Amino acid sequence: MDKLDIRLWTLAAKGEIVPDRSLLKTPEQIRAIKKSADLNTAVLDHVAAHIRAGMSTDEIDRLVYDFTVAHGGVPAPLNYEGFPKSVCTSVNNVICHGIPDEGEILQEGDIVNVDVSTILDGYYSDASRMFTIGRVSPRAEKLVRVTKECVELGLAQARPWGHLGDIAWAINTHARENGYSVVEDIGGHGIGLEFHEEPFVSYVTPKGSEMVLVPGMMFTIEPMINEGSPDFFIDEDNGWTVCTIDDGLSAQVEYMVLITEDGAEVLSK
Ligand code: MF3
Ligand code: CO
């Protein structure tokens, strides 16, 4: 047992949830995963430079596929558990897992989440951004702004020997103060060696609860914020698209973070 093992073991003995050592990335793994994350961010920048009204969400899929492959990567969503496209595009009332479609044309006033996940040299990265198409309603604008604030406030709580629940608490508090709700059953995840690793990351759990944060942990901060009910249904036709139950707007922003010795580093956003 080394010093870290003893510290983890002591916390576990006190009833804390601690990560398995396999979830703590080595310096070599971190270097390789950062390359994947840099490509992931570049894909998002490429989308940001081209997204516009009149474009179909399938054109976004093509932008993502072509750019990723041209840079030696593979889009992680493609064929993941049967997902048919290279990216998730979630428009307005779609919470997440929207499937790009040539018949879905972005209109002025839409808000859209583009969720990009990349495999490079076998290492995984994942981040998403909100885009506003042309001029959007003050209502949509505020939801997108508050969602970005939620993720920043969550990130500010991400520190070694804190808890995942500290991040959730900051996010949920800010969302609720603005009259919004946080989706409960879909959340973030560990990432790096696999697309989805332990732990599951909730954004509705109390401060001080859930897994202890330890240097080397990597996971996503990706709350889904709804203007109305947090409840959702999944489109039966495709088994993927998650929609708000009340047809209200939903927004999501995703950062991929690494817990360091003195805080947290954003690897892709
Ligand atoms: N990027 C999504 C996430 O944050 C992954 C969705 S799975 C997919 O977990 F197959 F829809 F891509
Ligand atoms: Co994710």
Side-chain angles (χ1 to χ4, degrees):
M1 289 230 294
D2 63 10
K3 254 170 89 176
L4 181 59
D5 278 325
I6 292 165
R7 187 159 185 184
L8 293 173
W9 186 88
T10 307
L11 286 166
K14 285 188 203 151
E16 296 277 6
I17 304 167
V18 297
D20 190 87
R21 283 293 287 255
S22 65
L23 295 181
L24 309 181
K25 271 66 180 178
T26 66
E28 298 73 41
Q29 287 170 339
I30 290 169
R31 264 194 294 281
I33 296 166
K34 279 184 174 176
K35 285 188 192 157
S36 175
D38 287 345
L39 176 54
N40 199 67
T41 303
V43 176
L44 280 163
D45 289 341
H46 184 63
V47 170
H50 292 89
I51 195 167
R52 56 173 172 78
M55 174 183 268
S56 75
T57 50
D58 201 52
E59 285 175 73
I60 298 173
D61 184 68
R62 225 139 45 220
L63 286 171
V64 168
Y65 180 84
D66 290 346
F67 189 93
T68 304
V69 170
H71 290 82
V74 177
L78 190 58
N79 302 318
Y80 174 78
E81 292 186 3
F83 193 79
K85 297 282 179 172
S86 295
V87 64
C88 296
T89 50
S90 302
V91 181
N92 298 331
N93 65 313
V94 176
I95 295 174
C96 64
H97 302 169
I99 302 175
D101 188 319
E102 60 186 351
E104 184 179 49
I105 309 297
L106 296 178
Q107 315 276 349
E108 167 129 8
D110 284 344
I111 61 170
V112 52
N113 172 274
V114 178
D115 190 340
V116 174
S117 316
T118 302
I119 313 169
L120 184 67
D121 301 329
Y123 296 94
Y124 287 78
S125 51
D126 188 7
S128 80
R129 294 184 196 167
M130 287 304 294
F131 296 99
T132 50
I133 306 302
R135 223 195 319 219
V136 305
S137 68
R139 171 183 148 214
E141 187 92 52
K142 184 185 169 194
L143 178 67
V144 171
R145 173 177 58 78
V146 170
T147 301
K148 291 176 182 170
E149 290 168 358
C150 281
V151 175
E152 284 292 333
L153 290 166
L155 175 67
Q157 296 294 321
R159 62 175 80 88
W161 313 108
H163 291 81
L164 277 178
D166 306 346
I167 299 171
W169 164 82
I171 287 170
N172 198 11
T173 301
H174 191 60
R176 293 169 73 108
E177 277 171 2
N178 282 278
Y180 299 144
S181 65
V182 179
V183 174
E184 296 202 6
D185 296 326
I186 317 170
H189 50 93
I191 182 152
L193 308 183
E194 306 284 347
F195 195 172
H196 298 111
E197 301 176 3
E198 292 286 304
F200 171 75
V201 185
S202 166
Y203 305 105
V204 294
T205 47
K207 193 176 173 70
S209 71
E210 302 295 317
M211 191 177 278
V212 174
L213 303 177
V214 178
M217 275 175 76
M218 243 179 228
F219 57 89
T220 64
I221 301 178
E222 53 172 322
M224 283 144 265
I225 311 293
N226 293 357
E227 59 174 354
S229 165
D231 295 340
F232 58 84
F233 69 93
I234 298 174
D235 188 323
E236 286 176 14
D237 294 337
N238 61 40
W240 279 102
T241 313
V242 181
C243 307
T244 56
I245 202 120
D246 57 5
D247 211 35
L249 293 174
S250 182
Q252 179 181 28
V253 168
E254 176 176 18
Y255 289 3
M256 172 182 172
V257 304
L258 165 70
I259 299 298
T260 61
E261 292 297 333
D262 53 7
E265 185 180 346
V266 178
L267 302 187
S268 185
K269 71 173 182 179

